[in-house]
């Protein structure tokens, strides 16, 4: 089986970091978000097709430099085609059925089990679903007998939400699901296509462990906690010469002396944390600097961002090269 991973979108809710870095390359628990998504794929997947758009060249360069364990091909789009248009654009040579993954969901999903459930259900599609308190920002499914999806509403008004079970952004689809997508224009798969596929049999696959759409600063940091707690964090504990408690994931060479860490920190390559500084629940990207006696909590610091000596920065997103 092959997989299409949707890697477009501007990551607007993670600006200003996403002005420089596509959200899929933001490190979470020691590796780019995209690589946590790929980790869900069974080892026997034959090919992964990345449907790219915004900053496609950065994604392309990253996967060339850090080849995942599956053969990967990127199919860029000149204009954003939306989720459905991106799928269609990337679908040449795709398997029947295929996996469809959003690139910003950090979750525990057994894709081998899901593939088996899809075969047993015999329908055109199987969508992983997760129960949330507030379904409004998501696609929402109503379920009938055998968890067949009987209605699907993308981003409903509260009164129109048919349940609290939402599209987790992980699915198995038959090739025929691509047929109704008009080529060459932007199409929302969830709004324009999925409702029309329901008569062909679309089933829910309920997730029970954890799930997060890492599309906002709060949620990317929450996802980082979940991944660390599930032991899916990258290598390394508290860096040598530092104090505190992990988990701390270190990506490459870092310069750290006499600082206090944790919990839940990612340190990018060539980042610096000076003596007396304290860092917790944060993502510190490549080349960022936290000066002496500064405190950083619940932050995403973009590449080469700098927190000045003695400053306290809480709950902020700093763009590339920004100072606070
Ligand atoms: N190739 C391509 N082109 N990919 C795109 C485009 C595009 O124009 N726009 C968005 N994507 C990718 C994003 O990178 C993301 O991985 C996925 O498609 C979904 O886009 P989001 O912008 O993150 O959508 P959402 O979070 O509001 O809603 C989607 O995900 C929810 C779960 O997180 C929908 O699939 C909902 O139904 C779902 O509940
Ligand atoms: Mg999303």
């Amino acid at each position: 089986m092959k997989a299409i991973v949707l890697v477009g979108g501007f990551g607007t809710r993670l600006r200003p970091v996403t002005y420089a870095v596509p959200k899929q390359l933001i490190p979470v628990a020691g590796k780019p978000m995209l690589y946590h998504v790929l980790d869900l794929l069974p080892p026997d997947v034959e090919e992964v097709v990345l449907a790219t758009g915004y900053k496609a060249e950065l994604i392309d360069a990253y996967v060339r430099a850090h080849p995942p364990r599956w053969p990967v091909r990127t199919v860029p789009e000149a204009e954003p085609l939306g989720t459905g248009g991106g799928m269609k654009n990337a679908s040449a040579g795709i398997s029947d059925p295929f996996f469809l993954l959003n690139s910003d969901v950090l979750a525990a999903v057994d894709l081998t089990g899901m593939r088996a459930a899809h075969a047993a259900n015999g329908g055109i599609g199987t969508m992983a679903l997760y129960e949330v308190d507030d379904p409004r920002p998501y696609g929402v499914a109503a379920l009938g007998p055998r968890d067949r999806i009987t209605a699907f509403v993308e981003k409903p008004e509260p009164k129109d939400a048919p349940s609290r079970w939402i599209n987790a952004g992980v699915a198995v689809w038959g090739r025929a699901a691509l047929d109704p997508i008009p080529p060459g224009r932007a199409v929302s798969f969830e709004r324009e296509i999925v409702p029309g596929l329901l008569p062909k049999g679309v089933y829910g696959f309920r997730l029970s462990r954890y799930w997060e759409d890492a599309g906002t600063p709060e949620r990317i940091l929450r996802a980082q906690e979940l991944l660390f707690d599930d032991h899916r964090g990258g290598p390394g504990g508290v860096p040598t010469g530092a104090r505190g408690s992990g988990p701390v994931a270190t990506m490459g060479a870092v310069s750290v002396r006499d600082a206090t860490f944790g919990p839940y920190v990612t340190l990018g390559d060539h980042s610096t944390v000076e003596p007396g500084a304290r860092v917790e629940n944060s993502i510190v990207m490549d080349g960022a600097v936290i000066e002496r006696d500064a405190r950083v909590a619940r932050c995403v610091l973009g590449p080469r961002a700098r927190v000045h000596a003695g400053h306290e920065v809480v709950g902020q997103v700093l763009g590339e090269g920004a100072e606070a």
Side-chain angles (χ1 to χ4, degrees):
M1 237 173 113
K2 300 187 179 186
I4 295 176
V5 185
L6 295 167
V7 195
F10 294 106
T12 51
R13 294 167 296 175
L14 285 164
R15 285 176 179 166
V17 165
T18 45
Y19 286 125
V21 181
K23 71 175 165 183
Q24 294 82 6
L25 294 184
I26 297 177
V28 186
K31 58 173 122 165
M33 192 188 295
L34 173 64
Y35 283 60
H36 285 292
V37 173
L38 296 180
D39 279 347
L40 298 175
L41 291 168
D44 61 358
V45 162
E46 293 159 61
E47 186 183 42
V48 178
V49 184
L50 303 180
T52 56
Y54 181 62
K55 298 202 181 285
E57 63 295 343
L58 295 185
I59 308 265
D60 212 49
Y62 198 94
V63 296
R64 278 170 203 275
H66 305 87
R69 65 161 121 162
W70 308 264
V72 172
R73 191 158 53 88
T74 54
V75 181
E77 49 205 50
E79 294 295 323
L81 292 174
T83 50
M87 287 165 70
K88 187 87 168 184
N89 189 53
S91 63
I94 202 68
S95 57
D96 183 20
F98 62 94
F99 289 114
L100 177 71
L101 308 181
N102 290 0
S103 55
D104 61 349
V105 299
L106 299 174
V109 190
D110 168 17
L111 282 184
T112 304
M114 201 170 161
R115 174 166 64 186
H118 176 75
N121 290 336
I124 194 173
T126 301
M127 302 174 84
L129 304 176
Y130 188 72
E131 193 175 30
V132 298
D133 290 332
D134 179 7
R136 283 175 296 174
Y138 306 110
V140 189
L143 293 162
R146 291 179 53 230
D147 282 348
R148 183 164 173 172
I149 297 177
T150 53
F152 186 85
V153 196
E154 182 67 17
K155 304 201 170 58
E157 294 295 321
K159 65 174 179 22
D160 300 327
S163 79
R164 292 190 294 122
W165 286 91
I166 60 133
N167 170 20
V170 174
V172 180
W173 289 104
R175 270 196 72 98
L178 297 161
D179 294 344
I181 305 176
R185 73 160 169 92
V187 179
S188 163
F189 185 64
E190 299 84 350
R191 282 180 203 279
E192 300 176 53
I193 306 298
V194 171
L197 294 174
L198 300 184
K200 299 194 160 141
V202 181
Y203 291 84
F205 183 82
R206 298 184 197 231
L207 305 182
S208 56
R209 287 186 58 213
Y210 61 89
W211 180 89
E212 197 67 73
D213 174 317
T216 69
E218 296 73 29
R219 295 209 204 115
I220 203 172
L221 295 172
R222 172 75 189 133
Q224 171 160 270
E225 285 182 34
L226 294 167
L227 291 171
F228 271 129
D229 286 347
D230 196 24
H231 307 287
R232 289 172 62 191
V238 173
T240 332
R243 284 186 298 272
S245 60
V248 176
T250 303
M251 303 171 73
V254 298
S255 166
V256 170
R257 214 158 34 86
D258 212 8
T260 305
F261 284 94
Y264 307 118
V265 174
T266 292
L267 289 178
D269 192 26
H270 287 95
S271 56
T272 301
V273 186
E274 293 184 355
R278 284 192 295 150
V279 190
E280 62 192 67
N281 290 85
S282 291
I283 293 169
V284 179
M285 294 178 62
D286 293 358
V289 179
I290 299 170
E291 295 182 354
R292 284 181 168 271
D293 302 319
R295 174 169 179 252
V296 171
R298 300 195 306 282
C299 286
V300 179
L301 305 187
R304 292 166 295 286
R306 178 175 290 267
V307 176
H308 289 291
H311 284 204
E312 180 170 279
V313 184
V314 178
Q316 286 196 39
V317 178
L318 297 191
E320 178 178 38
E323 307 201 7

